[in-house]
Amino acid sequence: MARSQCLMLSAYFQDILSCPEAVSPEKSPFCGNGCGHTLLTPHSGTLSSKNYPGTYPNHTMCCWRLQAPPGSSLLLAFGDVDLEPSEHCAHSSLLLADPQTGTAYGPYCRNSVPSAPLLVTNSSTVTVLFNSTSHRSGRGLLMSYATSQHPDLISCLVRGTHYTQEYISVYCPAGCKDIHGDIWGNPSQGYRDTSVLCKAAVHAGVIADELGGQVTLSREKGITLYESAFANGLRSKRGSLSEKRLVFHKACDDVLEVVTFNASSWWHEVDVLGQDRAWVAERAALSTTGHSWAAKPGAKAAWLELDLGTRKNVTGIITKGSSEQHDYYVTSYHVSSSRDGKNWRPYRGSSGQEDKVFEGNADSHGEVSNAFIPPIVARYIRVTPQSWHQHIALKVALMGCQLARVRIPRPYEPSVPKEVLEATSHPPSHTPIPGIALDPEKAGSTLLVILLIGGFVLLCSCLLLLAFLCHRKRKSAVELNCGITKGYPKLESSQVCSLQSLPAPSLASFPMAPTPGALSWTHSPEYTEPDLVQANPSSQTGPSTFKPLLEEGYTLPLVLNHYDVPGKHNEYAEPLPPEPEYAMPFTEPEPAGMHRSPCIITGPAECSPGQYQTPALRPGELPAAVEGTGTPCSEESRGWPRHCPLAHVYHEAL
């Protein structure tokens, strides 16, 4: 078995060496009658067998020579290898080899496929050999390659559904535009996630098919309907709802404002009814309703010129026909650019050899997009129709962005101050800062931001200072106005409230006890006489709930604001007042049918304000003096005038 494989590999190498064009890539990078779609560039490319994805023909052979720039190696991406199976892949096979070093990969067929979709080689030159004999089935092969600087290389057949992450960044090889695969959607809406990724990138204008390139996109929520569009030589399909959609990230893709439209000629039409219609150049704006610009019938080398006002970075163009009422449109055109409006330069695309012919419209009402890769940097853009339908009629819009200004820092030059400044009418120039390039257009916005930040900081400082002053003022007012006991005057000599600074209270006069022989001075169980209050709380010997003195380490809690609530500071009971306080007199209506005659304590003949009237007795209750004898009080025994006013009256507790 090993001997047969060696003989077969030897035969393969003989076939490789027998292909003269494969050895000299300057003439042709491939040869043979079994070669299909092929696009080979120094950095990437795509190759396929004949009739792919249909059945490849019998008894065919194709040899491709892949060459990477010096100092780099090749990466090979297997898109599809479907060759009819046979023992040791003898009938149809794919072989990769480096004739200089003798390294070989394969042979591959349906029952011997590559172990990984990406093959990393250590060589800058690889020869690909496809060979077929008699067979019945098989799609053939599809491969792509790139240099080792692009490890995220993918095949042209990879779809958006092959990924699950939200953001995707891959490298698409050159030549995926003409590979079989469907796309749904358009650049503005996005693409259905079942679309082939690299082909959709070409349709969106992110990469050029003849170059390939890095693609960045995101997977977002799908939409109900994807509209069809024709762009960059590809027509997408109209698709239905999908779970996810592919949105390509493309910078510098805004609609540019056109200052002036100019044309080689315009058509002054007079219809059959004698009505005039002017197809002037101003009607070439894409947003214009109605008919478009049209060149004079029979005019040769007609062109339409767009003035952007200043130099812009132009990345694409959108064209449209006349309108739905008139079936006029341009099917192909050239593009030229100029910076001064006099010297014109034709756009040749990435090849740089021939003037690029852009595909135009296929009807009078649809829009067609074409990307400029690389972009055009110019002020004037001229569109020259090459082919058209009935009449040259066109509406145009340009895509792009403002030209990014890149300033190189000037070398530092010390300035010599002048003793006398001369007055001048010229505007002051900006002094360059060493190592920093100042853009005059951004200086105003930068100064505005600095002023806003400074004003905000100053406002915050003023608010903080105002809050601090209010806090100090309120604290001083509270400390000066604090009072310890209700009824004492405010302290004016000191801002600290102290018990020792209070004047010593004196005992008020208290009514004397009744004379002997009168009703006994025994308290009824219904009430209790208030005791005298100690004037000095420090004389208490037992535990006290009064406020301690300052010598005991106590300071009065000051209420600084209305947010202080009870329980926030230590609270103590206020000292009892020096005079007895009683409840204010009030009357209570007696219940119907109840006769309650107050029993008055016997006293002197004249009324004395120092005596008290005892509370009324309940039915069946006897005074304390006669409770033992059982003799009730009578009007005669009371001996107290009815006309005497009562100084203090006690009432029963409610």
Side-chain angles (χ1 to χ4, degrees):
M1 182 180 298
R3 180 180 177 84
S4 61
Q5 290 182 353
C6 291
L7 293 176
M8 184 173 56
L9 290 177
S10 178
Y12 288 152
F13 279 108
Q14 292 296 328
D15 293 337
I16 292 174
L17 295 177
S18 64
C19 186
E21 293 82 3
V23 183
S24 51
E26 294 82 5
K27 298 180 181 179
S28 177
F30 62 96
C31 66
N33 58 354
C35 304
H37 168 70
T38 301
L39 179 58
L40 307 181
T41 68
H43 296 280
S44 65
T46 301
L47 54 95
S48 65
S49 59
K50 194 173 183 179
N51 298 336
Y52 181 86
T55 305
Y56 58 93
N58 296 327
H59 305 286
T60 58
M61 185 271 296
C62 186
C63 183
W64 295 273
R65 177 76 178 268
L66 310 182
Q67 181 73 47
S72 60
S73 57
L74 288 172
L75 302 178
L76 301 177
F78 298 99
D80 189 12
V81 178
D82 185 46
L83 305 177
E84 189 175 70
S86 60
E87 185 177 1
H88 307 304
C89 300
H91 294 170
S92 300
S93 61
L94 170 66
L95 179 67
L96 311 176
D98 182 3
Q100 298 178 357
T101 61
T103 306
Y105 304 92
Y108 301 116
C109 58
R110 189 180 301 173
N111 56 343
S112 178
V113 297
S115 58
L118 187 64
L119 175 62
V120 180
T121 67
N122 296 323
S123 177
S124 61
T125 303
V126 173
T127 300
V128 180
L129 178 62
F130 165 67
N131 188 17
S132 70
T133 59
S134 299
H135 65 282
R136 295 182 179 180
S137 63
R139 293 184 301 271
L141 66 95
L142 173 67
M143 291 181 55
S144 298
Y145 71 94
T147 60
S148 54
Q149 285 77 18
H150 306 290
D152 50 355
L153 170 68
I154 62 173
S155 169
C156 297
L157 300 180
V158 173
R159 300 178 180 269
T161 52
H162 295 167
Y163 298 92
T164 57
Q165 60 267 32
E166 183 177 358
Y167 296 98
I168 305 171
S169 179
V170 294
Y171 184 83
C172 289
C176 291
K177 174 183 175 182
D178 296 328
I179 298 300
H180 179 77
D182 296 329
I183 54 176
W184 296 267
N186 53 71
S188 59
Q189 286 183 320
Y191 298 86
R192 207 170 188 268
D193 59 347
T194 55
S195 304
V196 286
L197 198 149
C198 292
K199 195 171 184 178
V202 174
H203 185 270
V206 178
I207 60 174
D209 181 62
E210 58 270 16
L211 292 178
Q214 196 72 27
V215 174
T216 304
L217 67 153
S218 59
R219 298 175 69 248
E220 300 181 3
K221 185 179 179 181
I223 58 177
T224 305
L225 182 63
Y226 297 89
E227 295 293 344
S228 173
F230 187 82
N232 299 295
L234 291 173
R235 176 164 296 277
S236 61
K237 293 184 177 181
R238 196 166 184 260
S240 58
L241 174 67
S242 66
E243 181 181 359
K244 295 291 183 179
R245 63 187 173 114
L246 307 178
V247 178
F248 292 92
H249 300 168
K250 184 180 180 182
C252 193
D253 195 30
D254 302 326
V255 178
L256 298 178
E257 180 182 0
V258 179
V259 178
T260 305
F261 288 91
N262 194 11
S264 58
S265 62
W266 58 278
W267 182 21
H268 184 204
E269 180 189 10
V270 179
D271 58 12
V272 293
L273 299 178
Q275 298 179 354
D276 295 341
R277 181 178 291 108
W279 299 69
V280 295
E282 288 74 11
R283 302 199 62 83
L286 187 65
S287 58
T288 303
T289 58
H291 62 279
S292 64
W293 162 78
K296 185 178 180 180
K300 297 181 179 180
W303 48 263
L304 176 67
E305 184 180 307
L306 294 81
D307 182 7
L308 300 177
T310 58
R311 286 195 302 166
K312 301 292 179 62
N313 194 17
V314 185
T315 59
I317 184 173
I318 303 175
T319 59
K320 187 179 180 179
S322 57
S323 64
E324 296 181 357
Q325 298 178 357
H326 306 85
D327 194 19
Y328 310 146
Y329 53 90
V330 174
T331 57
S332 64
Y333 57 90
H334 289 301
V335 173
S336 303
S337 61
S338 175
R339 297 187 177 185
D340 54 5
K342 298 179 180 179
N343 301 316
W344 295 91
R345 182 180 180 181
Y347 184 78
R348 295 183 175 180
S350 58
S351 62
Q353 298 178 358
E354 298 179 356
D355 297 351
K356 185 173 182 178
V357 179
F358 293 91
E359 295 188 42
N361 299 79
D363 51 47
S364 60
H365 56 275
E367 296 181 0
V368 174
S369 302
N370 283 286
F372 297 143
I373 302 176
I376 300 174
V377 179
R379 173 180 175 178
Y380 301 93
I381 301 296
R382 179 176 288 184
V383 180
T384 305
Q386 298 298 306
S387 59
W388 54 87
H389 179 72
Q390 294 187 10
H391 287 287
I392 299 176
L394 194 63
K395 289 183 179 181
V396 180
L398 296 177
M399 311 298 293
C401 59
Q402 298 290 337
L403 184 63
R405 296 182 178 181
V406 180
R407 293 178 176 267
I408 302 176
R410 299 179 181 178
Y412 174 69
E413 297 179 0
S415 59
V416 179
K418 297 181 179 180
E419 297 180 359
V420 180
L421 298 178
E422 299 179 358
T424 177
S425 59
H426 298 284
S429 60
H430 296 275
T431 302
I433 300 176
I436 300 177
L438 295 178
D439 192 350
E441 297 180 356
K442 298 182 180 179
S445 60
T446 304
L447 181 60
L448 179 60
V449 172
I450 294 176
L451 292 177
L452 290 177
I453 295 177
F456 179 77
V457 173
L458 181 61
L459 178 61
C460 293
S461 302
C462 294
L463 293 177
L464 291 176
L465 180 60
L466 181 61
F468 177 76
L469 294 178
C470 293
H471 175 71
R472 291 289 301 272
K473 185 176 180 181
R474 181 179 296 178
K475 180 177 180 181
S476 302
V478 172
E479 290 178 353
L480 290 175
N481 296 332
C482 65
I484 299 179
T485 308
K486 181 179 180 182
Y488 284 103
K490 299 177 181 178
L491 300 179
E492 299 179 355
S493 61
S494 176
Q495 295 183 359
V496 180
C497 300
S498 173
L499 288 174
Q500 293 181 348
S501 62
L502 298 176
S506 59
L507 291 176
S509 60
F510 196 76
M512 302 300 295
T515 59
L519 187 62
S520 175
W521 192 260
T522 304
H523 298 291
S524 172
E526 302 295 331
Y527 67 96
T528 304
E529 288 286 346
D531 297 332
L532 294 179
V533 180
Q534 284 182 329
N536 188 6
S538 63
S539 61
Q540 298 177 0
T541 59
S544 175
T545 59
F546 297 110
K547 300 177 181 177
L549 297 180
L550 293 178
E551 290 78 0
E552 302 179 11
Y554 173 76
T555 56
L556 292 176
L558 301 180
V559 180
L560 301 181
N561 52 60
H562 61 279
Y563 291 104
D564 289 337
V565 296
K568 186 174 183 180
H569 304 285
N570 296 328
E571 300 178 357
Y572 299 91
E574 297 286 345
L576 296 178
E579 296 180 0
E581 297 181 358
Y582 304 96
M584 296 298 295
F586 67 95
T587 59
E588 180 180 2
E590 296 183 359
M594 181 180 296
H595 301 281
R596 303 177 64 179
S597 298
C599 185
I600 308 299
I601 303 175
T602 305
E606 63 273 10
C607 298
S608 176
Q611 308 303 320
Y612 296 89
Q613 181 182 6
T614 61
L617 299 179
R618 297 174 179 174
E621 184 179 4
L622 298 178
V626 295
E627 186 176 1
T629 60
T631 305
C633 296
S634 61
E635 295 290 340
E636 293 78 15
S637 63
R638 292 171 185 169
W640 194 270
R642 295 179 179 270
H643 64 274
C644 296
L646 301 179
H648 298 280
V649 180
Y650 276 82
H651 290 271
E652 294 181 3
L654 298 178

